[in-house]
Amino acid sequence: EVRPAGQARERALAAHRAGMRTLLVSPAESTLLEETLPDEVLAKLRLIPVETLEAAVRAALQPSRRKPTTAAA
């Protein structure tokens, strides 16, 4: 079982400042973050609630859903 690690808001803001776009969090943290993070941060972060280590590994190994960037010609 994945449990809250504490200071979720601070960790999410730090991840956002570092340029991360996806966070794996416990379901309780996901709800807390959706309620407490600024909208502009939530718009740029993908929160993935996971309940087990297996679910976290599966989510971490999923291919990125962002579109590849193309070089300007």
Side-chain angles (χ1 to χ4, degrees), residues 25-46:
V25 296
S26 72
E29 286 177 327
S30 178
T31 301
L32 173 72
L33 292 172
E34 289 171 357
E35 294 172 354
T36 62
L37 287 176
D39 290 338
E40 60 271 10
V41 173
L42 281 173
K44 295 180 181 179
L45 281 179
R46 181 173 163 224

Side-chain angles (χ1 to χ4, degrees), residues 45-65:
L45 281 179
R46 181 173 163 224
L47 301 176
I48 302 176
V50 294
E51 294 187 8
T52 64
L53 178 60
E54 292 81 11
V57 170
R58 277 195 306 274
L61 296 178
Q62 289 292 320
S64 174
R65 291 196 283 175

Side-chain angles (χ1 to χ4, degrees), residues 8-26:
R9 185 176 190 276
E10 290 77 12
R11 289 183 292 112
L13 290 171
H16 170 68
R17 283 191 301 270
M20 297 177 115
R21 292 184 292 260
T22 303
L23 294 176
L24 303 179
V25 296
S26 72

